[in-house]
Amino acid sequence: MAKWWTLVAVCVATFMLLLDVTIVNVALPYIERDLKSSFSDLQWVVDAYALTLAAMLLTAGSIADGMGRRKVFLIGLGIFTAASALCGLAQTSLMLNLARALQGVGGAFMFATALALIASAYQGRDRGTALGLWGATTGAAVAVGPLVGGVLVQVIGWEAIFFVNVPIGLGAIALTLAKVAESKDPSGARIDWAGTVTFSGSLFLLVFGLIRGNAENWSGAIIACLIGAAVLMAAFLVIERRMAYPMLDLTLFRKPAFVGASIAAFVLSASMFAMFLYLTLYIQNILGYTALESGLRFMPVTLLSFLVAPVSGKLAEQLGVRWFLGGGLLLIGVGLLLMHGVTPGDGWTTLLPGFLLCGVGIGAINPALATAAIGVVEPRRSGMASGINSTFRQVGIATGIAAWGALFTHKVASTFADQAQSAGLKRPAGGGSVSDFIAFGGASRVHDPKLLRVAESAFDAGLNHILLIAAIVALVGAVLAAVLVRPSDFVGAADRTTPRRGAAAPEPV
């Protein structure tokens, strides 16, 4: 019975961790108004969390192998719970973003040890059942995140989305101390600190440069950040090639299928999940919906992804993983194209056909992605393979939000300038950039119908611009995933592709 308490503790922690990925989106406009945040501040609310989670995920796994998975899991729970309290107490955007970065560190420690704790507690059929329940928990967290966030923000305030983690985290800590057994790998690899520093430094400089580029007019300092990101990434790759125990085993990328799965993970996050920030601003600040109303309107995406995932997981084993990766990204690409083309006066239902396709696409991809990530490596390397795939997901969110933000703000500002000049309008005086004024619904608070139309038109132009580019990224990713994820790359494929005489034909991978 004790082993089932391990599953409960891990599922509670995972639910809390993943809920914070989606729950925060509907709160962003409220955070902006309360903390007087800029547009780049809001980008960092999401990116600070995603960056530290991505940067520390692989390192956390190595630490856990040597120190003890239960111990590292508890440390992660403690950091995440304390950071959540700090987020709720934040009085400035800087304090909030620093606390979000600390949350990401705690999240990395929790996420890196979750599957290892389950694997050490269960064997045989029980392990399959436990992993299935854990997978259902991850899907449920994503599905209910927008709705839970909307209710908490609407009824209590944006701080509640962080404070709710405190009692849950304390309960999970108590349960882990009482019921979860320790496990470790005595021969675990040494920690790759050089890789951690260069990798996280490269990501930070890249995201910082993209987020601040427009505001700094792409100055020499911003260009230096981008060059520095490239140099550090090159140094990281050199370090990983020479390390006896690298945090990122580059030999895994010799298999095209592993490359394809990594690309699919990155593209899924960069094209769709990174877009939720901008869709939230559109639904709340342009269309005028509350946090709860906004959360309800995202439910077609999240619920469909939750309902489709178990079905696609079974079908992928029969029909082939590659088609679900490529097909899912194809659906997301088409869905983003269907959202493209919003105009002033449109209602939220303009987005609905795209939401439906994207929800099905996400549900089709996630189970196939998990299978592909670990199916092309030997079982002993599945932990690193899974960690790399999760890292690509977080890097996709962080860089996607930063890149789309740079394109969005430039397009909004240039479109507003052109149309305002033609209409003889000027933006009312006040702090902040033109793109901040428009993205945060400033025009709706100025009683000038002509200014409101021009501002909405500029926002729509910016949103349409990034929707189109994200759709192209998703479609390219679909082709690459379908081509690269070859059945022959999967472990044991040779046995399946050469059936014994009289045996049934092999099932595709």
PDB file of all heavy atoms in Angstrom, residues 1-10 70-71 73-74 77 117-118 120-122 170-183:
ATOM      1  N   MET A   1       0.818  -1.211   0.000  1.00  0.00           N
ATOM      2  CA  MET A   1       0.000   0.000   0.000  1.00  0.00           C
ATOM      3  C   MET A   1       0.856   1.267   0.000  1.00  0.00           C
ATOM      4  O   MET A   1       0.494   2.289  -0.546  1.00  0.00           O
ATOM      5  CB  MET A   1      -0.918  -0.003   1.231  1.00  0.00           C
ATOM      6  CG  MET A   1      -1.885   1.172   1.289  1.00  0.00           C
ATOM      7  SD  MET A   1      -3.002   1.214  -0.140  1.00  0.00           S
ATOM      8  CE  MET A   1      -3.773   2.813   0.113  1.00  0.00           C
ATOM      9  N   ALA A   2       2.049   1.182   0.638  1.00  0.00           N
ATOM     10  CA  ALA A   2       2.912   2.359   0.748  1.00  0.00           C
ATOM     11  C   ALA A   2       3.306   2.903  -0.618  1.00  0.00           C
ATOM     12  O   ALA A   2       3.447   4.117  -0.802  1.00  0.00           O
ATOM     13  CB  ALA A   2       4.160   2.015   1.555  1.00  0.00           C
ATOM     14  N   LYS A   3       3.478   1.973  -1.591  1.00  0.00           N
ATOM     15  CA  LYS A   3       3.906   2.441  -2.903  1.00  0.00           C
ATOM     16  C   LYS A   3       2.855   3.322  -3.563  1.00  0.00           C
ATOM     17  O   LYS A   3       3.184   4.208  -4.362  1.00  0.00           O
ATOM     18  CB  LYS A   3       4.253   1.256  -3.802  1.00  0.00           C
ATOM     19  CG  LYS A   3       3.080   0.329  -4.118  1.00  0.00           C
ATOM     20  CD  LYS A   3       3.550  -0.847  -4.955  1.00  0.00           C
ATOM     21  CE  LYS A   3       2.410  -1.804  -5.276  1.00  0.00           C
ATOM     22  NZ  LYS A   3       2.868  -2.973  -6.057  1.00  0.00           N
ATOM     23  N   TRP A   4       1.584   3.111  -3.248  1.00  0.00           N
ATOM     24  CA  TRP A   4       0.540   3.944  -3.842  1.00  0.00           C
ATOM     25  C   TRP A   4       0.556   5.344  -3.254  1.00  0.00           C
ATOM     26  O   TRP A   4       0.158   6.306  -3.909  1.00  0.00           O
ATOM     27  CB  TRP A   4      -0.827   3.280  -3.681  1.00  0.00           C
ATOM     28  CG  TRP A   4      -0.905   1.978  -4.437  1.00  0.00           C
ATOM     29  CD1 TRP A   4      -0.918   0.715  -3.928  1.00  0.00           C
ATOM     30  CD2 TRP A   4      -0.902   1.830  -5.868  1.00  0.00           C
ATOM     31  NE1 TRP A   4      -0.944  -0.222  -4.932  1.00  0.00           N
ATOM     32  CE2 TRP A   4      -0.934   0.437  -6.138  1.00  0.00           C
ATOM     33  CE3 TRP A   4      -0.878   2.717  -6.936  1.00  0.00           C
ATOM     34  CZ2 TRP A   4      -0.946  -0.075  -7.434  1.00  0.00           C
ATOM     35  CZ3 TRP A   4      -0.888   2.222  -8.226  1.00  0.00           C
ATOM     36  CH2 TRP A   4      -0.915   0.839  -8.468  1.00  0.00           C
ATOM     37  N   TRP A   5       1.031   5.468  -2.011  1.00  0.00           N
ATOM     38  CA  TRP A   5       1.209   6.806  -1.460  1.00  0.00           C
ATOM     39  C   TRP A   5       2.319   7.560  -2.200  1.00  0.00           C
ATOM     40  O   TRP A   5       2.265   8.782  -2.340  1.00  0.00           O
ATOM     41  CB  TRP A   5       1.530   6.724   0.031  1.00  0.00           C
ATOM     42  CG  TRP A   5       0.345   6.391   0.888  1.00  0.00           C
ATOM     43  CD1 TRP A   5       0.156   5.268   1.632  1.00  0.00           C
ATOM     44  CD2 TRP A   5      -0.818   7.205   1.071  1.00  0.00           C
ATOM     45  NE1 TRP A   5      -1.070   5.315   2.268  1.00  0.00           N
ATOM     46  CE2 TRP A   5      -1.686   6.487   1.950  1.00  0.00           C
ATOM     47  CE3 TRP A   5      -1.223   8.445   0.590  1.00  0.00           C
ATOM     48  CZ2 TRP A   5      -2.913   6.990   2.355  1.00  0.00           C
ATOM     49  CZ3 TRP A   5      -2.457   8.952   0.995  1.00  0.00           C
ATOM     50  CH2 TRP A   5      -3.294   8.225   1.858  1.00  0.00           C
ATOM     51  N   THR A   6       3.322   6.819  -2.665  1.00  0.00           N
ATOM     52  CA  THR A   6       4.360   7.443  -3.498  1.00  0.00           C
ATOM     53  C   THR A   6       3.736   8.047  -4.750  1.00  0.00           C
ATOM     54  O   THR A   6       4.049   9.179  -5.137  1.00  0.00           O
ATOM     55  CB  THR A   6       5.419   6.398  -3.902  1.00  0.00           C
ATOM     56  OG1 THR A   6       6.066   5.907  -2.731  1.00  0.00           O
ATOM     57  CG2 THR A   6       6.450   7.005  -4.843  1.00  0.00           C
ATOM     58  N   LEU A   7       2.837   7.295  -5.384  1.00  0.00           N
ATOM     59  CA  LEU A   7       2.168   7.791  -6.579  1.00  0.00           C
ATOM     60  C   LEU A   7       1.338   9.029  -6.267  1.00  0.00           C
ATOM     61  O   LEU A   7       1.341  10.003  -7.030  1.00  0.00           O
ATOM     62  CB  LEU A   7       1.287   6.696  -7.175  1.00  0.00           C
ATOM     63  CG  LEU A   7       0.491   7.086  -8.430  1.00  0.00           C
ATOM     64  CD1 LEU A   7       1.441   7.435  -9.566  1.00  0.00           C
ATOM     65  CD2 LEU A   7      -0.449   5.965  -8.837  1.00  0.00           C
ATOM     66  N   VAL A   8       0.629   9.012  -5.140  1.00  0.00           N
ATOM     67  CA  VAL A   8      -0.187  10.169  -4.755  1.00  0.00           C
ATOM     68  C   VAL A   8       0.690  11.402  -4.573  1.00  0.00           C
ATOM     69  O   VAL A   8       0.378  12.495  -5.078  1.00  0.00           O
ATOM     70  CB  VAL A   8      -0.977   9.875  -3.464  1.00  0.00           C
ATOM     71  CG1 VAL A   8      -1.668  11.138  -2.953  1.00  0.00           C
ATOM     72  CG2 VAL A   8      -2.014   8.781  -3.711  1.00  0.00           C
ATOM     73  N   ALA A   9       1.803  11.245  -3.855  1.00  0.00           N
ATOM     74  CA  ALA A   9       2.698  12.382  -3.610  1.00  0.00           C
ATOM     75  C   ALA A   9       3.259  12.935  -4.909  1.00  0.00           C
ATOM     76  O   ALA A   9       3.287  14.162  -5.123  1.00  0.00           O
ATOM     77  CB  ALA A   9       3.845  11.952  -2.687  1.00  0.00           C
ATOM     78  N   VAL A  10       3.701  12.046  -5.792  1.00  0.00           N
ATOM     79  CA  VAL A  10       4.272  12.479  -7.071  1.00  0.00           C
ATOM     80  C   VAL A  10       3.202  13.145  -7.941  1.00  0.00           C
ATOM     81  O   VAL A  10       3.459  14.176  -8.575  1.00  0.00           O
ATOM     82  CB  VAL A  10       4.908  11.283  -7.802  1.00  0.00           C
ATOM     83  CG1 VAL A  10       5.270  11.658  -9.233  1.00  0.00           C
ATOM     84  CG2 VAL A  10       6.154  10.813  -7.058  1.00  0.00           C
ATOM     85  N   ARG A  70      14.353  10.973  -3.454  1.00  0.00           N
ATOM     86  CA  ARG A  70      13.372  11.486  -2.490  1.00  0.00           C
ATOM     87  C   ARG A  70      13.860  12.795  -1.883  1.00  0.00           C
ATOM     88  O   ARG A  70      13.078  13.751  -1.716  1.00  0.00           O
ATOM     89  CB  ARG A  70      13.156  10.446  -1.390  1.00  0.00           C
ATOM     90  CG  ARG A  70      12.271  10.903  -0.226  1.00  0.00           C
ATOM     91  CD  ARG A  70      12.134   9.754   0.760  1.00  0.00           C
ATOM     92  NE  ARG A  70      11.400  10.102   1.962  1.00  0.00           N
ATOM     93  CZ  ARG A  70      11.936  10.555   3.079  1.00  0.00           C
ATOM     94  NH1 ARG A  70      13.269  10.736   3.133  1.00  0.00           N
ATOM     95  NH2 ARG A  70      11.199  10.832   4.140  1.00  0.00           N
ATOM     96  N   LYS A  71      15.134  12.861  -1.542  1.00  0.00           N
ATOM     97  CA  LYS A  71      15.692  14.067  -0.936  1.00  0.00           C
ATOM     98  C   LYS A  71      15.602  15.252  -1.892  1.00  0.00           C
ATOM     99  O   LYS A  71      15.191  16.359  -1.509  1.00  0.00           O
ATOM    100  CB  LYS A  71      17.147  13.825  -0.522  1.00  0.00           C
ATOM    101  CG  LYS A  71      17.784  14.971   0.251  1.00  0.00           C
ATOM    102  CD  LYS A  71      19.210  14.652   0.630  1.00  0.00           C
ATOM    103  CE  LYS A  71      19.262  13.511   1.615  1.00  0.00           C
ATOM    104  NZ  LYS A  71      20.651  13.229   2.076  1.00  0.00           N
ATOM    105  N   PHE A  73      13.586  15.521  -4.471  1.00  0.00           N
ATOM    106  CA  PHE A  73      12.159  15.798  -4.666  1.00  0.00           C
ATOM    107  C   PHE A  73      11.634  16.699  -3.546  1.00  0.00           C
ATOM    108  O   PHE A  73      10.905  17.670  -3.793  1.00  0.00           O
ATOM    109  CB  PHE A  73      11.401  14.474  -4.698  1.00  0.00           C
ATOM    110  CG  PHE A  73       9.921  14.594  -4.952  1.00  0.00           C
ATOM    111  CD1 PHE A  73       9.434  14.960  -6.192  1.00  0.00           C
ATOM    112  CD2 PHE A  73       9.012  14.310  -3.935  1.00  0.00           C
ATOM    113  CE1 PHE A  73       8.072  15.050  -6.426  1.00  0.00           C
ATOM    114  CE2 PHE A  73       7.647  14.396  -4.157  1.00  0.00           C
ATOM    115  CZ  PHE A  73       7.171  14.766  -5.411  1.00  0.00           C
ATOM    116  N   LEU A  74      12.035  16.395  -2.310  1.00  0.00           N
ATOM    117  CA  LEU A  74      11.622  17.220  -1.163  1.00  0.00           C
ATOM    118  C   LEU A  74      12.202  18.630  -1.245  1.00  0.00           C
ATOM    119  O   LEU A  74      11.515  19.614  -0.939  1.00  0.00           O
ATOM    120  CB  LEU A  74      12.063  16.555   0.141  1.00  0.00           C
ATOM    121  CG  LEU A  74      11.191  15.401   0.647  1.00  0.00           C
ATOM    122  CD1 LEU A  74      11.913  14.641   1.750  1.00  0.00           C
ATOM    123  CD2 LEU A  74       9.852  15.932   1.148  1.00  0.00           C
ATOM    124  N   LEU A  77      10.151  20.468  -3.759  1.00  0.00           N
ATOM    125  CA  LEU A  77       8.855  20.849  -3.195  1.00  0.00           C
ATOM    126  C   LEU A  77       8.995  22.066  -2.275  1.00  0.00           C
ATOM    127  O   LEU A  77       8.173  22.990  -2.318  1.00  0.00           O
ATOM    128  CB  LEU A  77       8.265  19.681  -2.408  1.00  0.00           C
ATOM    129  CG  LEU A  77       7.457  18.641  -3.183  1.00  0.00           C
ATOM    130  CD1 LEU A  77       7.170  17.437  -2.289  1.00  0.00           C
ATOM    131  CD2 LEU A  77       6.154  19.235  -3.687  1.00  0.00           C
ATOM    132  N   LEU A 117      11.029   8.227  -9.150  1.00  0.00           N
ATOM    133  CA  LEU A 117      10.422   7.738  -7.912  1.00  0.00           C
ATOM    134  C   LEU A 117       9.357   6.685  -8.210  1.00  0.00           C
ATOM    135  O   LEU A 117       9.249   5.677  -7.502  1.00  0.00           O
ATOM    136  CB  LEU A 117       9.800   8.904  -7.130  1.00  0.00           C
ATOM    137  CG  LEU A 117      10.781   9.830  -6.405  1.00  0.00           C
ATOM    138  CD1 LEU A 117      10.055  11.033  -5.840  1.00  0.00           C
ATOM    139  CD2 LEU A 117      11.512   9.076  -5.293  1.00  0.00           C
ATOM    140  N   ILE A 118       8.572   6.920  -9.258  1.00  0.00           N
ATOM    141  CA  ILE A 118       7.557   5.939  -9.645  1.00  0.00           C
ATOM    142  C   ILE A 118       8.220   4.643 -10.106  1.00  0.00           C
ATOM    143  O   ILE A 118       7.815   3.543  -9.727  1.00  0.00           O
ATOM    144  CB  ILE A 118       6.647   6.512 -10.748  1.00  0.00           C
ATOM    145  CG1 ILE A 118       5.793   7.652 -10.191  1.00  0.00           C
ATOM    146  CG2 ILE A 118       5.747   5.427 -11.332  1.00  0.00           C
ATOM    147  CD1 ILE A 118       4.947   8.353 -11.236  1.00  0.00           C
ATOM    148  N   SER A 120      11.080   3.404  -9.321  1.00  0.00           N
ATOM    149  CA  SER A 120      11.714   2.652  -8.236  1.00  0.00           C
ATOM    150  C   SER A 120      10.689   2.006  -7.302  1.00  0.00           C
ATOM    151  O   SER A 120      11.007   1.038  -6.600  1.00  0.00           O
ATOM    152  CB  SER A 120      12.626   3.576  -7.420  1.00  0.00           C
ATOM    153  OG  SER A 120      11.874   4.579  -6.761  1.00  0.00           O
ATOM    154  N   ALA A 121       9.450   2.511  -7.278  1.00  0.00           N
ATOM    155  CA  ALA A 121       8.425   1.993  -6.368  1.00  0.00           C
ATOM    156  C   ALA A 121       7.585   0.884  -6.989  1.00  0.00           C
ATOM    157  O   ALA A 121       6.964   0.100  -6.262  1.00  0.00           O
ATOM    158  CB  ALA A 121       7.519   3.127  -5.894  1.00  0.00           C
ATOM    159  N   TYR A 122       7.560   0.816  -8.318  1.00  0.00           N
ATOM    160  CA  TYR A 122       6.653  -0.123  -8.987  1.00  0.00           C
ATOM    161  C   TYR A 122       7.404  -1.029  -9.954  1.00  0.00           C
ATOM    162  O   TYR A 122       8.398  -0.628 -10.555  1.00  0.00           O
ATOM    163  CB  TYR A 122       5.564   0.637  -9.759  1.00  0.00           C
ATOM    164  CG  TYR A 122       4.659   1.468  -8.891  1.00  0.00           C
ATOM    165  CD1 TYR A 122       4.982   2.792  -8.597  1.00  0.00           C
ATOM    166  CD2 TYR A 122       3.501   0.935  -8.344  1.00  0.00           C
ATOM    167  CE1 TYR A 122       4.172   3.561  -7.794  1.00  0.00           C
ATOM    168  CE2 TYR A 122       2.678   1.697  -7.537  1.00  0.00           C
ATOM    169  CZ  TYR A 122       3.018   3.007  -7.262  1.00  0.00           C
ATOM    170  OH  TYR A 122       2.214   3.763  -6.454  1.00  0.00           O
ATOM    171  N   LEU A 170       2.829  22.012   1.092  1.00  0.00           N
ATOM    172  CA  LEU A 170       3.110  21.546   2.454  1.00  0.00           C
ATOM    173  C   LEU A 170       2.532  20.153   2.683  1.00  0.00           C
ATOM    174  O   LEU A 170       3.161  19.302   3.329  1.00  0.00           O
ATOM    175  CB  LEU A 170       2.527  22.536   3.474  1.00  0.00           C
ATOM    176  CG  LEU A 170       3.210  23.913   3.529  1.00  0.00           C
ATOM    177  CD1 LEU A 170       2.468  24.835   4.481  1.00  0.00           C
ATOM    178  CD2 LEU A 170       4.671  23.778   3.943  1.00  0.00           C
ATOM    179  N   GLY A 171       1.338  19.908   2.137  1.00  0.00           N
ATOM    180  CA  GLY A 171       0.746  18.576   2.244  1.00  0.00           C
ATOM    181  C   GLY A 171       1.578  17.527   1.532  1.00  0.00           C
ATOM    182  O   GLY A 171       1.774  16.412   2.037  1.00  0.00           O
ATOM    183  N   ALA A 172       2.085  17.870   0.341  1.00  0.00           N
ATOM    184  CA  ALA A 172       2.917  16.937  -0.423  1.00  0.00           C
ATOM    185  C   ALA A 172       4.236  16.662   0.296  1.00  0.00           C
ATOM    186  O   ALA A 172       4.740  15.526   0.279  1.00  0.00           O
ATOM    187  CB  ALA A 172       3.185  17.498  -1.820  1.00  0.00           C
ATOM    188  N   ILE A 173       4.795  17.670   0.949  1.00  0.00           N
ATOM    189  CA  ILE A 173       6.032  17.480   1.716  1.00  0.00           C
ATOM    190  C   ILE A 173       5.789  16.505   2.874  1.00  0.00           C
ATOM    191  O   ILE A 173       6.581  15.574   3.107  1.00  0.00           O
ATOM    192  CB  ILE A 173       6.558  18.827   2.249  1.00  0.00           C
ATOM    193  CG1 ILE A 173       7.107  19.676   1.094  1.00  0.00           C
ATOM    194  CG2 ILE A 173       7.649  18.612   3.295  1.00  0.00           C
ATOM    195  CD1 ILE A 173       7.462  21.093   1.490  1.00  0.00           C
ATOM    196  N   ALA A 174       4.695  16.726   3.607  1.00  0.00           N
ATOM    197  CA  ALA A 174       4.381  15.845   4.737  1.00  0.00           C
ATOM    198  C   ALA A 174       4.163  14.410   4.272  1.00  0.00           C
ATOM    199  O   ALA A 174       4.654  13.458   4.905  1.00  0.00           O
ATOM    200  CB  ALA A 174       3.137  16.367   5.462  1.00  0.00           C
ATOM    201  N   LEU A 175       3.448  14.242   3.166  1.00  0.00           N
ATOM    202  CA  LEU A 175       3.178  12.901   2.642  1.00  0.00           C
ATOM    203  C   LEU A 175       4.469  12.222   2.186  1.00  0.00           C
ATOM    204  O   LEU A 175       4.680  11.025   2.428  1.00  0.00           O
ATOM    205  CB  LEU A 175       2.190  12.996   1.482  1.00  0.00           C
ATOM    206  CG  LEU A 175       1.762  11.682   0.823  1.00  0.00           C
ATOM    207  CD1 LEU A 175       1.108  10.757   1.843  1.00  0.00           C
ATOM    208  CD2 LEU A 175       0.807  11.957  -0.339  1.00  0.00           C
ATOM    209  N   THR A 176       5.347  12.969   1.545  1.00  0.00           N
ATOM    210  CA  THR A 176       6.612  12.407   1.066  1.00  0.00           C
ATOM    211  C   THR A 176       7.497  11.981   2.226  1.00  0.00           C
ATOM    212  O   THR A 176       8.116  10.902   2.199  1.00  0.00           O
ATOM    213  CB  THR A 176       7.354  13.437   0.186  1.00  0.00           C
ATOM    214  OG1 THR A 176       6.515  13.829  -0.904  1.00  0.00           O
ATOM    215  CG2 THR A 176       8.649  12.856  -0.367  1.00  0.00           C
ATOM    216  N   LEU A 177       7.560  12.806   3.262  1.00  0.00           N
ATOM    217  CA  LEU A 177       8.372  12.457   4.432  1.00  0.00           C
ATOM    218  C   LEU A 177       7.854  11.195   5.110  1.00  0.00           C
ATOM    219  O   LEU A 177       8.638  10.365   5.601  1.00  0.00           O
ATOM    220  CB  LEU A 177       8.365  13.616   5.429  1.00  0.00           C
ATOM    221  CG  LEU A 177       9.212  14.839   5.059  1.00  0.00           C
ATOM    222  CD1 LEU A 177       8.920  15.988   6.014  1.00  0.00           C
ATOM    223  CD2 LEU A 177      10.708  14.494   5.096  1.00  0.00           C
ATOM    224  N   ALA A 178       6.532  11.024   5.105  1.00  0.00           N
ATOM    225  CA  ALA A 178       5.937   9.901   5.827  1.00  0.00           C
ATOM    226  C   ALA A 178       5.895   8.610   5.028  1.00  0.00           C
ATOM    227  O   ALA A 178       6.032   7.516   5.601  1.00  0.00           O
ATOM    228  CB  ALA A 178       4.520  10.271   6.270  1.00  0.00           C
ATOM    229  N   LYS A 179       5.731   8.698   3.715  1.00  0.00           N
ATOM    230  CA  LYS A 179       5.385   7.507   2.949  1.00  0.00           C
ATOM    231  C   LYS A 179       6.340   7.129   1.811  1.00  0.00           C
ATOM    232  O   LYS A 179       6.315   5.989   1.349  1.00  0.00           O
ATOM    233  CB  LYS A 179       3.979   7.687   2.342  1.00  0.00           C
ATOM    234  CG  LYS A 179       2.876   7.890   3.367  1.00  0.00           C
ATOM    235  CD  LYS A 179       2.637   6.648   4.202  1.00  0.00           C
ATOM    236  CE  LYS A 179       1.445   6.814   5.140  1.00  0.00           C
ATOM    237  NZ  LYS A 179       1.206   5.617   5.964  1.00  0.00           N
ATOM    238  N   VAL A 180       7.145   8.060   1.329  1.00  0.00           N
ATOM    239  CA  VAL A 180       7.948   7.790   0.139  1.00  0.00           C
ATOM    240  C   VAL A 180       9.330   7.274   0.536  1.00  0.00           C
ATOM    241  O   VAL A 180      10.002   7.872   1.390  1.00  0.00           O
ATOM    242  CB  VAL A 180       8.080   9.051  -0.748  1.00  0.00           C
ATOM    243  CG1 VAL A 180       8.973   8.779  -1.948  1.00  0.00           C
ATOM    244  CG2 VAL A 180       6.700   9.517  -1.200  1.00  0.00           C
ATOM    245  N   ALA A 181       9.741   6.178  -0.087  1.00  0.00           N
ATOM    246  CA  ALA A 181      11.053   5.585   0.196  1.00  0.00           C
ATOM    247  C   ALA A 181      12.147   6.264  -0.634  1.00  0.00           C
ATOM    248  O   ALA A 181      11.885   6.771  -1.720  1.00  0.00           O
ATOM    249  CB  ALA A 181      11.018   4.091  -0.105  1.00  0.00           C
ATOM    250  N   GLU A 182      13.369   6.241  -0.100  1.00  0.00           N
ATOM    251  CA  GLU A 182      14.506   6.837  -0.803  1.00  0.00           C
ATOM    252  C   GLU A 182      15.041   5.864  -1.857  1.00  0.00           C
ATOM    253  O   GLU A 182      14.933   4.647  -1.731  1.00  0.00           O
ATOM    254  CB  GLU A 182      15.608   7.182   0.194  1.00  0.00           C
ATOM    255  CG  GLU A 182      16.824   7.862  -0.399  1.00  0.00           C
ATOM    256  CD  GLU A 182      16.498   9.195  -1.043  1.00  0.00           C
ATOM    257  OE1 GLU A 182      15.994   9.171  -2.187  1.00  0.00           O
ATOM    258  OE2 GLU A 182      16.730  10.233  -0.400  1.00  0.00           O
ATOM    259  N   SER A 183      15.578   6.422  -2.932  1.00  0.00           N
ATOM    260  CA  SER A 183      16.266   5.623  -3.951  1.00  0.00           C
ATOM    261  C   SER A 183      17.343   6.483  -4.569  1.00  0.00           C
ATOM    262  O   SER A 183      17.215   7.697  -4.654  1.00  0.00           O
ATOM    263  CB  SER A 183      15.282   5.150  -5.031  1.00  0.00           C
ATOM    264  OG  SER A 183      14.821   6.233  -5.816  1.00  0.00           O
TER     265      SER A 183
END
